[in-house]
Amino acid sequence: MRSFGHVRARSVAEACALLAEHAARGRVNGGGTDLLGALKDGIYPEPPDLVVDLKSIPGLDAIEEVDAGLRIGALTRLADIARSGPIRSKWSILAQAAHAVGSPQIRNMATLGGNLCQEVRCWYYRYPAGLGGSIDCLRKGGPRCPAVKGDTRYHAIFEGRGCFAVCPSDAAVALAALDASAVLGGPGGSCREIAVQDLYTPLGTVLEPGEVLTAVSVPRTAGGSRSTFLKFTVREPIDFAVVSVAVSITFEEDLCTDARVVLGAVGPRPYRAVEAEACLRGRPIDETAAAVAAEAAVAGAKPLRGNAHKVPLARTLVRRALLEATET
Amino acid sequence: MASEYRHIGKATERADARDVVTGNVLYLSDLEVPRMLHGRVLRSPHAHARIVSIDVSRAQALPGVEAVLTHADVPDWRVGTPRVVRVLDSTVRFAGDSVALVAAVSEETAARALELIEVEYQLLPAVLTMDEALAPGAPELFPEAPGNVVSPGTPWFGPECLTGVRMGDVAQGFAEADAVAEGVCGYESIPNPLPPESPGVIASWEEPNRVTFWVSSQAPYQDKVVLYYAFGREVDVRTIGGPCGGSYGSKLMSVQLALQAAALSRASGRPVRLVMSKEEHMAAFVLRIGSRVKGKVGMRRDGTVTAVSGEWLIDTGYYSMTTQAQVAVGCGEAQLVVRCPNWDLGSTIVCTNRTASGIVRGFGGQELKCAILPVLSRAMAELDVDPLDFFKKNYVKPGDGYFWRDGHWYTYRGIDYTAAMDAGARAFGWKEHWRGWLQPTSVDGAVRTGVGVGVHGNVDIGESVSEAWVRLDPDGRAVIYSAATEHGTGQPSNIIKMVAEVLQVPLAMVSMTAADSTVTPFEFGPVGSRGTWAMGGAAIAAAEDARRKLLERSARTLDRDPSELDTRDGLVFAVDSPDSTVRWNRILGREGSLVGTGRFDPDFTLANCMMTFVEVAVDTETGKVELLRVVNATDAGTIIDPPGLENQLNGSLGSAGIDSALFEETVLDHASGRVLNANMIDYKWRTFAELPEMTNVVLETPVDSHRFGAIGVGEVATAPGPSAVLMAASNALGAWMDEYPLTPERVLRSLGNVPQRGRRGGVQEGAAGGAGAPGATSRAVDTDAEAHSGPTADAEAHSGLADRAGREGEGDL
């Protein structure tokens, strides 16, 4: 691993100022579970010369219930989210998604902000420098994507544009289904909020140089809402989703009045299946309705040559999640 | 039987157990040799290229760099069969191949120096698959391998080294068959056994021609021998083995790494440590061989095999060290499972532009079984032969014969394993769960279960030479001079147990020397399950020799004939008056010791046997295959160490074993040849959180091996499982699964749920198989996968299942 400067930031403002100054050569460190691996593998064409540690900023790791709902500091560890009483009872899919990440050791280190902003897992993007040099690609500013004609079993079936890496965050999928927003702090004390699914672009995130994710705010869930998070992995622990899904459905009597259906690991951001949501509104969710909505959820899929199997997989997960949410 | 023994068969503490769990074992990367430098290797980005120029001047100028070597600077030391692989070469032959070597005062400096080396390559066309390598006019890796076919046979196994199985008259055999099945099946997932400790070595060169290696190997003395030849028989090689953090066969031959470290040490004049990073271990060390069989099998209704013919294609990657040996052993082992008078099975070893295949537990036999048993399954299915009955009938029986690896015919004198197979079947509930070929055991909504069985055995339990000496000290202690090193199996502790049993002393009174080749005699090492019989046999013989000498020397003191004497707990006594004893120091004196010597010579007339039953659950809507339970059944003759044996059998899952049918695979990018999953996230391996229900059934029928009647079964534990999983999944799905591993993609494709794409391998229906034969399931035909890229209706998937259910209803497969 190349050596780099390391600053333990004392405030968001200090962190933002340092990052603005170093632009592309600066990196933010939360729990370090993703960053250190990426640095050790030497995946960056321009290795960072400064790592800004956010853990030293006080007050960024709180889980607070507020009038509007829930506010979670970006430095909150996934383990704390997974075991939080209020989150487990009122925003349970977020607790499930946090628990679905990695292993106990990783969840004890990894933070919510880090999970949302982690690097993609595309195995071309992450190819280690020690095996003949890292691989240049669109995401690194290169001219082309080596993955698109390669082994794409884990790549996008929705919304890929140039880069087909998928957003690897489990938390993002649950948060998108919960209509959550990311709070971004910037240089000079600026602050903006953006919907979690809009945090991502096909080649990265919307964070400007000098911006850091400081918190996530989650609105209160409506009475009568039920939700489910399902994650399909090749092996159970310590694995990233091949496809995941989070659904949040509001019922009045047995009728679905509102639904959010979000697929994970299928595109550069959590993919909100609005067609599926539309199918569900105003009707009870039974086997047929779930199957129809699941079909609608994948109707727009454009798989690559090597990942067409993700389409039936996504369809199955949506159907199962809807039925599971309805039955609970 | 075991109950008569003082130590044998008892669950005793492994000699190194406390040190392992408290972190006190010193592995290779913990060793510090004075003045030691750290080596690193610059690796190729290209699968095949000629190095036009290398500029190392900036690397050499970096403070702390003590040596930089390129192909132009290295000695002409060579490894491989044939000897074509140099320390560094002007041509690189896989993405990750060695380009330049650096030794520096720290790993960081060495790594930094690598970044300063500038290389200009001329790209050459690469061959990444056997089909590409064998195509007419294909680019060649080595002039010594025309057409990319590596010369067959290894001199280690003699001039008649087995390269296939040929006997009888196959034409006549097929004519006598009730069914003939034909097909192609590949076991080409090239998994990595992934020992926790990555390969590494420390080399210390002394001019003019002496080198000491600290190795992390399961067989350090064998390293000395192999390296002696690699150095052109002109270097005095000393190897020092230590605790090895797992090997599964693979680290037996870290020879190229050793030569590179030696070259750096010679160039720098200082000891050099060269340890692979995890990603180098996964992408630039050794994988399992790739294996594909195009075979034809004739069978009678009663499960008698009348003929086997075909060609075994072996992908060895960019070079072969032991692949010819694996072919020889694999061909020998096939005859243990398939008793047949008529064979015409040939082999072709192919080199391709990927990292090399090396030794992995299963050593040729697992690879051949995984590819050929699915072809045999087709014939069994056609004749409705239960695979358990088939294996019981066909597994080698006393009096049967086989050609072993040296091409010689041997007659088997071991036990009949039918009882072990029956005991395993009872423990598994085979009768209750087997529903017939392509029949699921249960169907519950989208989840279907199925069962499968496989079998494997090895004659190499008695291969090669082991030597050991046992020294008796006056204080009642014994020291075993042996190059056995701990590599996770507990073998040194087991050898200590055997010696303590012969000498009738407490385990704590017996120790073993370091595996230093200037201290110990020759030891081929624990491979092919030979540790128990061959290595144990040498140590037992040495202990018996020491005991005999001790009693002879006691005769005068005790005024008795040696035959009337015995020893226990460091005392010698007459058998008829055990209360009158003398200590060993009275016999040996204060000054002096006594040494017994022992040797094991090869014996190819016994075989072990491992049968594995599996049950899997397949989710037909996600394609997930879950291993529910495993029953391993064997007969170990006599169990030396119950917990050690259980661990060996539980190890059947990982290390490129059963899980190589489920998710373990090395993924190559087919454009660049780079390994895409050279990390512990993307290379899927089983964690302890996902263990299936494991049952190990071990019978103890004493074998005519050594005085304890034991044979080894550890190495074979991985081999029968993968094909059993394929069988179980095929039965669950009602369709032949014929590729490893069973990824969700392959399962969903088999259900017609996903458009097909070009496939390698895969059993196709044989010409003589008949139209009604299983496997003739309708599949979506691959056209242009992109054109099929739209979603497939759920209804289609369901109709696929309905189709299968309908066929099951017909019953007569």
Side-chain angles (χ1 to χ4, degrees), chain B residues 331-355:
Chain B
C331 288
E333 287 167 338
Q335 300 162 70
L336 302 180
V337 170
V338 183
R339 177 202 255 166
C340 173
N342 306 303
W343 288 79
D344 184 16
L345 180 69
S347 69
T348 304
I349 301 173
V350 185
C351 52
T352 56
N353 290 109
R354 63 155 173 85
T355 193

Side-chain angles (χ1 to χ4, degrees), chain B residues 101 111 123 192 232 309 327 408 491 500 556 571 587 729 778:
Chain B
L101 308 173
L123 299 192
N192 193 318
S309 73
V327 169
H408 297 171
Q491 205 59 260
R556 203 173 45 195
L571 307 170
I587 311 297
S778 58

Side-chain angles (χ1 to χ4, degrees), chain A residues 2 124 235 239 303 315 319, chain B residues 621 669 684-685 789 792:
Chain A
R2 281 278 196 89
Y124 294 86
R235 71 171 170 210
D239 208 354
R315 185 172 50 220
R319 185 171 52 79
Chain B
E621 292 176 347
D669 177 48
K684 307 302 178 191
W685 47 280
S789 59
T792 314

